[in-house]
Amino acid sequence: MSGGGADSRSVAEKLFAIADAFVGRESLGLSEIATRARLPLSTAHRLVGEWVAWGGLVRGDDGRYRVGMRLWQLGVRQPTALRLRRIAMPYLEDLLEATGEHVHLAVRDGLGAIYLERLSGSGAVPVISDVGSRLPLHATGVGLVLLAHAPIEVFDEVLASGPRKYLPNTLTEERDLRRRLAEIRSFGISRSVEELTPGAFSIAAAVRDATGEVVAAVSIIAHVDRLAEPQFALGVRMAARGISSALGYRLQGE
């Protein structure tokens, strides 16, 4: 640990320091965790092992660590998330009834989109998203909306992280991503076709709070065979506007 001297932090404080090390990072190696948490490598190794055993962290095949589902599942139970889910639920249910497809509500955390809710029709296309899951901003409909309205520093961090090209349509180049985000801000919705899930498309829109800040995104995911159907974009826009209104947001002129 840098700085010398004994570390007077409790074990709990050291564990929290390891959790804090992942703020703004998708994954970290053990030495990176030790440096960011200001811990000796041996201590970091032991405490990271405890995080993994509990489910707070997972170790990938590449040897790097990522935040585990157990932490995300706890996170979506915190009061702000619960309130947002409660307010949004009637609009999400209406969107499900209108489309019969997957309906999502997500918020940004660092470089990922955390899914607070997912409602699904009986014949909806298979997807990997679920409540509590965390997916990349650059490759998901909700993530692109959240990234489009995030501080520029977040965009820079996404680029620096080396965004993964999941499918041929996934945008990873700076020029392409900048153009996509500008279009989202201009038109108010994101259209993503086979960027994370083969055979699926997503339409997403931003949810704003009383101050006008984008705090979440709502989306549908459906099979590409239904891409031309007009009700999806309209439904997502109406759901996002309804949730925003319930949060206190008012459009100019209202």
Side-chain angles (χ1 to χ4, degrees), residues 27-34 63-65:
S27 67
L28 292 171
L30 183 61
S31 61
E32 294 173 303
I33 294 173
R64 295 176 68 80
Y65 295 88

Side-chain angles (χ1 to χ4, degrees), residues 63-139:
R64 295 176 68 80
Y65 295 88
R66 294 166 178 80
V67 173
M69 286 296 297
R70 194 159 185 180
L71 274 182
W72 296 126
Q73 289 167 348
L74 286 175
V76 299
R77 294 190 183 102
Q78 58 98 358
T80 301
L82 286 174
R83 175 176 177 268
L84 180 56
R85 289 172 72 189
R86 175 178 56 78
I87 290 173
M89 186 59 70
Y91 303 95
L92 301 180
E93 290 174 341
D94 286 348
L95 186 56
L96 173 64
E97 184 176 355
T99 65
E101 300 290 352
H102 296 294
V103 175
H104 291 113
L105 177 71
V107 296
R108 183 179 70 83
D109 183 88
L111 306 185
I114 301 177
Y115 288 73
L116 300 184
E117 188 56 82
R118 188 188 91 176
L119 305 179
S120 300
S122 58
V125 62
V127 294
I128 62 174
S129 56
D130 203 350
V131 175
S133 60
R134 186 176 191 267
L135 295 177
L137 295 177
H138 75 284

Side-chain angles (χ1 to χ4, degrees), residues 89-199:
M89 186 59 70
Y91 303 95
L92 301 180
E93 290 174 341
D94 286 348
L95 186 56
L96 173 64
E97 184 176 355
T99 65
E101 300 290 352
H102 296 294
V103 175
H104 291 113
L105 177 71
V107 296
R108 183 179 70 83
D109 183 88
L111 306 185
I114 301 177
Y115 288 73
L116 300 184
E117 188 56 82
R118 188 188 91 176
L119 305 179
S120 300
S122 58
V125 62
V127 294
I128 62 174
S129 56
D130 203 350
V131 175
S133 60
R134 186 176 191 267
L135 295 177
L137 295 177
H138 75 284
T140 58
V142 289
L144 285 165
V145 167
L146 295 168
L147 183 58
H149 297 283
I152 187 61
E153 293 82 7
V154 177
F155 179 74
D156 293 338
E157 289 180 9
V158 168
L159 292 177
S161 71
R164 175 180 170 186
K165 195 170 188 68
Y166 292 89
L167 293 172
N169 287 349
T170 311
L171 299 184
T172 59
E173 298 297 324
E174 178 178 358
R175 180 181 62 182
D176 296 332
L177 282 169
R178 285 190 184 278
R179 182 174 63 248
R180 168 69 72 78
L181 299 181
E183 290 173 352
I184 292 171
R185 289 189 290 267
S186 177
F187 294 105
I189 61 171
S190 166
R191 295 178 183 267
S192 304
V193 182
E194 295 187 293
E195 295 189 33
L196 183 65
T197 304

Side-chain angles (χ1 to χ4, degrees), residues 6-24:
D7 189 343
S8 62
R9 291 177 294 176
S10 67
V11 173
E13 288 174 324
K14 293 173 183 177
L15 285 168
F16 292 144
I18 289 174
D20 286 341
F22 284 85
V23 174

